[in-house]
Amino acid sequence: MKFFVDTADVDAIAELNDLGMVDGVTTNPSLILKSGRDIIEVTKEICSIVSGPVSAEVVALKADDMIAEGRKLAEIAPNIAVKVPLTWDGLKTCKVLSSEGKMVNVTLCFSANQALLAAKAGATFISPFIGRLDDINLDGLELIGDIRQIYDNYGFDTQILAASIRTANHVTQCALIGADVMTAPPAVIKGMASHVLTDKGLDQFMKDWAKTGQKIL
Ligand code: E4P
């Protein structure tokens, strides 16, 4: 399973990238706002750190404008994946840009039918949002499973990019279901290292070690 980091925070990306935890990055307009940076500048800097796909999202709503924005974003670096919303205009944009050989990430996916349309439009990635479905008492993980089955039934090569991941358990479940990629905030990725028994065991080892009076260095 590939790990994308869902942030435009360059320092956080660099820290995780140094550990080999970053196969790509996803951003969106809200994350650009949070970064306080110019979209072109920050995306260029992210692409200089990470060699895998870096998603940069269009903000126009009409296909012609989305296509123009997508082409501009794709000029930033060869590893840009143009992110488009799952609207009819977004699907038109996906078809045009993917036909030009650009990577396209179709985002804001909340149903299996939407994912089916994105695959037929040539999407490189489909981004189903788990957390936002859970927020309205629907089952985000069930959607990942449904898309996995549909794509496998028909041999679609669009990669399932599980998004809106809020917990370490979401990551485990996505890996078990067979999502190709997951994107999560840095805090969720770091949280995957935590376990209460690790903390308890380490505490006991430190206490016992102190009693030996020994030193390694
Ligand atoms: C994915 O590409 C999105 O940027 C992101 O996962 C959305 O997550 P959120 O629902 O926590 O905002």
PDB file of all heavy atoms in Angstrom, residues 90-110:
ATOM      1  N   GLY A  90     -15.918  17.963 -13.984  1.00  0.00           N
ATOM      2  CA  GLY A  90     -14.671  17.352 -13.520  1.00  0.00           C
ATOM      3  C   GLY A  90     -14.341  16.095 -14.325  1.00  0.00           C
ATOM      4  O   GLY A  90     -13.178  15.838 -14.652  1.00  0.00           O
ATOM      5  N   LEU A  91     -15.370  15.325 -14.650  1.00  0.00           N
ATOM      6  CA  LEU A  91     -15.143  14.106 -15.445  1.00  0.00           C
ATOM      7  C   LEU A  91     -14.691  14.462 -16.864  1.00  0.00           C
ATOM      8  O   LEU A  91     -13.807  13.801 -17.427  1.00  0.00           O
ATOM      9  CB  LEU A  91     -16.419  13.255 -15.483  1.00  0.00           C
ATOM     10  CG  LEU A  91     -16.808  12.614 -14.142  1.00  0.00           C
ATOM     11  CD1 LEU A  91     -18.208  12.011 -14.218  1.00  0.00           C
ATOM     12  CD2 LEU A  91     -15.791  11.542 -13.724  1.00  0.00           C
ATOM     13  N   LYS A  92     -15.293  15.527 -17.426  1.00  0.00           N
ATOM     14  CA  LYS A  92     -14.849  15.974 -18.759  1.00  0.00           C
ATOM     15  C   LYS A  92     -13.374  16.377 -18.704  1.00  0.00           C
ATOM     16  O   LYS A  92     -12.586  16.050 -19.580  1.00  0.00           O
ATOM     17  CB  LYS A  92     -15.667  17.190 -19.210  1.00  0.00           C
ATOM     18  CG  LYS A  92     -17.076  16.880 -19.649  1.00  0.00           C
ATOM     19  CD  LYS A  92     -17.744  18.196 -20.103  1.00  0.00           C
ATOM     20  CE  LYS A  92     -19.217  17.990 -20.391  1.00  0.00           C
ATOM     21  NZ  LYS A  92     -19.929  19.251 -20.610  1.00  0.00           N
ATOM     22  N   THR A  93     -13.033  17.099 -17.647  1.00  0.00           N
ATOM     23  CA  THR A  93     -11.643  17.545 -17.466  1.00  0.00           C
ATOM     24  C   THR A  93     -10.714  16.348 -17.311  1.00  0.00           C
ATOM     25  O   THR A  93      -9.625  16.300 -17.900  1.00  0.00           O
ATOM     26  CB  THR A  93     -11.553  18.452 -16.213  1.00  0.00           C
ATOM     27  OG1 THR A  93     -12.475  19.521 -16.380  1.00  0.00           O
ATOM     28  CG2 THR A  93     -10.157  18.997 -16.019  1.00  0.00           C
ATOM     29  N   CYS A  94     -11.166  15.373 -16.541  1.00  0.00           N
ATOM     30  CA  CYS A  94     -10.377  14.150 -16.333  1.00  0.00           C
ATOM     31  C   CYS A  94     -10.077  13.485 -17.672  1.00  0.00           C
ATOM     32  O   CYS A  94      -8.946  13.087 -17.953  1.00  0.00           O
ATOM     33  CB  CYS A  94     -11.147  13.199 -15.414  1.00  0.00           C
ATOM     34  SG  CYS A  94     -10.339  11.614 -15.177  1.00  0.00           S
ATOM     35  N   LYS A  95     -11.100  13.369 -18.508  1.00  0.00           N
ATOM     36  CA  LYS A  95     -10.932  12.697 -19.802  1.00  0.00           C
ATOM     37  C   LYS A  95      -9.911  13.426 -20.670  1.00  0.00           C
ATOM     38  O   LYS A  95      -9.004  12.817 -21.253  1.00  0.00           O
ATOM     39  CB  LYS A  95     -12.295  12.631 -20.515  1.00  0.00           C
ATOM     40  CG  LYS A  95     -12.259  11.923 -21.844  1.00  0.00           C
ATOM     41  CD  LYS A  95     -11.968  10.448 -21.667  1.00  0.00           C
ATOM     42  CE  LYS A  95     -11.849   9.726 -22.997  1.00  0.00           C
ATOM     43  NZ  LYS A  95     -11.136   8.445 -22.840  1.00  0.00           N
ATOM     44  N   VAL A  96     -10.037  14.767 -20.721  1.00  0.00           N
ATOM     45  CA  VAL A  96      -9.127  15.555 -21.572  1.00  0.00           C
ATOM     46  C   VAL A  96      -7.688  15.466 -21.045  1.00  0.00           C
ATOM     47  O   VAL A  96      -6.754  15.177 -21.793  1.00  0.00           O
ATOM     48  CB  VAL A  96      -9.585  17.031 -21.639  1.00  0.00           C
ATOM     49  CG1 VAL A  96      -8.531  17.903 -22.305  1.00  0.00           C
ATOM     50  CG2 VAL A  96     -10.909  17.128 -22.393  1.00  0.00           C
ATOM     51  N   LEU A  97      -7.519  15.713 -19.748  1.00  0.00           N
ATOM     52  CA  LEU A  97      -6.156  15.757 -19.197  1.00  0.00           C
ATOM     53  C   LEU A  97      -5.501  14.378 -19.198  1.00  0.00           C
ATOM     54  O   LEU A  97      -4.307  14.250 -19.475  1.00  0.00           O
ATOM     55  CB  LEU A  97      -6.161  16.350 -17.782  1.00  0.00           C
ATOM     56  CG  LEU A  97      -6.608  17.815 -17.676  1.00  0.00           C
ATOM     57  CD1 LEU A  97      -6.547  18.288 -16.231  1.00  0.00           C
ATOM     58  CD2 LEU A  97      -5.754  18.734 -18.552  1.00  0.00           C
ATOM     59  N   SER A  98      -6.285  13.341 -18.914  1.00  0.00           N
ATOM     60  CA  SER A  98      -5.679  11.993 -18.931  1.00  0.00           C
ATOM     61  C   SER A  98      -5.316  11.600 -20.358  1.00  0.00           C
ATOM     62  O   SER A  98      -4.312  10.925 -20.588  1.00  0.00           O
ATOM     63  CB  SER A  98      -6.572  10.961 -18.244  1.00  0.00           C
ATOM     64  OG  SER A  98      -7.810  10.884 -18.885  1.00  0.00           O
ATOM     65  N   SER A  99      -6.095  12.069 -21.335  1.00  0.00           N
ATOM     66  CA  SER A  99      -5.757  11.781 -22.739  1.00  0.00           C
ATOM     67  C   SER A  99      -4.465  12.487 -23.153  1.00  0.00           C
ATOM     68  O   SER A  99      -3.792  12.060 -24.085  1.00  0.00           O
ATOM     69  CB  SER A  99      -6.884  12.238 -23.676  1.00  0.00           C
ATOM     70  OG  SER A  99      -8.078  11.614 -23.319  1.00  0.00           O
ATOM     71  N   GLU A 100      -4.135  13.569 -22.446  1.00  0.00           N
ATOM     72  CA  GLU A 100      -2.872  14.277 -22.720  1.00  0.00           C
ATOM     73  C   GLU A 100      -1.702  13.639 -21.978  1.00  0.00           C
ATOM     74  O   GLU A 100      -0.583  14.143 -22.023  1.00  0.00           O
ATOM     75  CB  GLU A 100      -2.994  15.752 -22.277  1.00  0.00           C
ATOM     76  CG  GLU A 100      -3.972  16.554 -23.108  1.00  0.00           C
ATOM     77  CD  GLU A 100      -4.188  17.973 -22.578  1.00  0.00           C
ATOM     78  OE1 GLU A 100      -3.597  18.330 -21.535  1.00  0.00           O
ATOM     79  OE2 GLU A 100      -4.960  18.712 -23.211  1.00  0.00           O
ATOM     80  N   GLY A 101      -1.976  12.562 -21.243  1.00  0.00           N
ATOM     81  CA  GLY A 101      -0.911  11.866 -20.527  1.00  0.00           C
ATOM     82  C   GLY A 101      -0.652  12.409 -19.135  1.00  0.00           C
ATOM     83  O   GLY A 101       0.331  12.035 -18.494  1.00  0.00           O
ATOM     84  N   LYS A 102      -1.539  13.289 -18.648  1.00  0.00           N
ATOM     85  CA  LYS A 102      -1.347  13.825 -17.306  1.00  0.00           C
ATOM     86  C   LYS A 102      -2.008  12.905 -16.282  1.00  0.00           C
ATOM     87  O   LYS A 102      -3.032  12.273 -16.587  1.00  0.00           O
ATOM     88  CB  LYS A 102      -1.964  15.232 -17.201  1.00  0.00           C
ATOM     89  CG  LYS A 102      -1.285  16.247 -18.118  1.00  0.00           C
ATOM     90  CD  LYS A 102      -2.016  17.568 -18.129  1.00  0.00           C
ATOM     91  CE  LYS A 102      -1.295  18.613 -18.953  1.00  0.00           C
ATOM     92  NZ  LYS A 102      -1.076  18.259 -20.366  1.00  0.00           N
ATOM     93  N   MET A 103      -1.427  12.836 -15.082  1.00  0.00           N
ATOM     94  CA  MET A 103      -2.082  12.085 -14.004  1.00  0.00           C
ATOM     95  C   MET A 103      -3.261  12.911 -13.503  1.00  0.00           C
ATOM     96  O   MET A 103      -3.143  14.130 -13.325  1.00  0.00           O
ATOM     97  CB  MET A 103      -1.118  11.841 -12.836  1.00  0.00           C
ATOM     98  CG  MET A 103      -0.031  10.832 -13.122  1.00  0.00           C
ATOM     99  SD  MET A 103       0.913  10.437 -11.627  1.00  0.00           S
ATOM    100  CE  MET A 103       1.939  11.892 -11.460  1.00  0.00           C
ATOM    101  N   VAL A 104      -4.391  12.227 -13.261  1.00  0.00           N
ATOM    102  CA  VAL A 104      -5.577  12.924 -12.745  1.00  0.00           C
ATOM    103  C   VAL A 104      -6.096  12.181 -11.514  1.00  0.00           C
ATOM    104  O   VAL A 104      -6.258  10.950 -11.540  1.00  0.00           O
ATOM    105  CB  VAL A 104      -6.693  13.015 -13.811  1.00  0.00           C
ATOM    106  CG1 VAL A 104      -7.907  13.765 -13.245  1.00  0.00           C
ATOM    107  CG2 VAL A 104      -6.197  13.717 -15.069  1.00  0.00           C
ATOM    108  N   ASN A 105      -6.332  12.949 -10.457  1.00  0.00           N
ATOM    109  CA  ASN A 105      -6.910  12.421  -9.224  1.00  0.00           C
ATOM    110  C   ASN A 105      -8.329  12.987  -9.114  1.00  0.00           C
ATOM    111  O   ASN A 105      -8.496  14.196  -8.968  1.00  0.00           O
ATOM    112  CB  ASN A 105      -6.038  12.865  -8.039  1.00  0.00           C
ATOM    113  CG  ASN A 105      -6.607  12.484  -6.687  1.00  0.00           C
ATOM    114  OD1 ASN A 105      -7.660  11.849  -6.593  1.00  0.00           O
ATOM    115  ND2 ASN A 105      -5.921  12.889  -5.632  1.00  0.00           N
ATOM    116  N   VAL A 106      -9.324  12.118  -9.220  1.00  0.00           N
ATOM    117  CA  VAL A 106     -10.713  12.587  -9.122  1.00  0.00           C
ATOM    118  C   VAL A 106     -11.131  12.501  -7.651  1.00  0.00           C
ATOM    119  O   VAL A 106     -11.133  11.423  -7.046  1.00  0.00           O
ATOM    120  CB  VAL A 106     -11.658  11.781 -10.027  1.00  0.00           C
ATOM    121  CG1 VAL A 106     -13.078  12.317  -9.905  1.00  0.00           C
ATOM    122  CG2 VAL A 106     -11.197  11.876 -11.483  1.00  0.00           C
ATOM    123  N   THR A 107     -11.475  13.660  -7.105  1.00  0.00           N
ATOM    124  CA  THR A 107     -11.669  13.784  -5.659  1.00  0.00           C
ATOM    125  C   THR A 107     -13.134  14.013  -5.301  1.00  0.00           C
ATOM    126  O   THR A 107     -13.982  14.163  -6.184  1.00  0.00           O
ATOM    127  CB  THR A 107     -10.771  14.930  -5.122  1.00  0.00           C
ATOM    128  OG1 THR A 107     -10.791  14.913  -3.697  1.00  0.00           O
ATOM    129  CG2 THR A 107     -11.240  16.292  -5.608  1.00  0.00           C
ATOM    130  N   LEU A 108     -13.415  14.027  -4.006  1.00  0.00           N
ATOM    131  CA  LEU A 108     -14.781  14.211  -3.499  1.00  0.00           C
ATOM    132  C   LEU A 108     -15.700  13.115  -4.029  1.00  0.00           C
ATOM    133  O   LEU A 108     -16.812  13.382  -4.482  1.00  0.00           O
ATOM    134  CB  LEU A 108     -15.310  15.605  -3.857  1.00  0.00           C
ATOM    135  CG  LEU A 108     -14.653  16.774  -3.104  1.00  0.00           C
ATOM    136  CD1 LEU A 108     -15.037  18.119  -3.727  1.00  0.00           C
ATOM    137  CD2 LEU A 108     -15.005  16.752  -1.623  1.00  0.00           C
ATOM    138  N   CYS A 109     -15.218  11.864  -3.943  1.00  0.00           N
ATOM    139  CA  CYS A 109     -16.010  10.699  -4.363  1.00  0.00           C
ATOM    140  C   CYS A 109     -16.717  10.111  -3.139  1.00  0.00           C
ATOM    141  O   CYS A 109     -16.065   9.794  -2.137  1.00  0.00           O
ATOM    142  CB  CYS A 109     -15.096   9.649  -4.985  1.00  0.00           C
ATOM    143  SG  CYS A 109     -15.928   8.070  -5.293  1.00  0.00           S
ATOM    144  N   PHE A 110     -18.029   9.959  -3.262  1.00  0.00           N
ATOM    145  CA  PHE A 110     -18.826   9.444  -2.141  1.00  0.00           C
ATOM    146  C   PHE A 110     -19.712   8.267  -2.532  1.00  0.00           C
ATOM    147  O   PHE A 110     -20.544   7.831  -1.733  1.00  0.00           O
ATOM    148  CB  PHE A 110     -19.670  10.576  -1.540  1.00  0.00           C
ATOM    149  CG  PHE A 110     -18.818  11.651  -0.911  1.00  0.00           C
ATOM    150  CD1 PHE A 110     -18.480  12.796  -1.622  1.00  0.00           C
ATOM    151  CD2 PHE A 110     -18.314  11.498   0.376  1.00  0.00           C
ATOM    152  CE1 PHE A 110     -17.672  13.776  -1.052  1.00  0.00           C
ATOM    153  CE2 PHE A 110     -17.506  12.478   0.953  1.00  0.00           C
ATOM    154  CZ  PHE A 110     -17.179  13.614   0.234  1.00  0.00           C
TER     155      PHE A 110
END
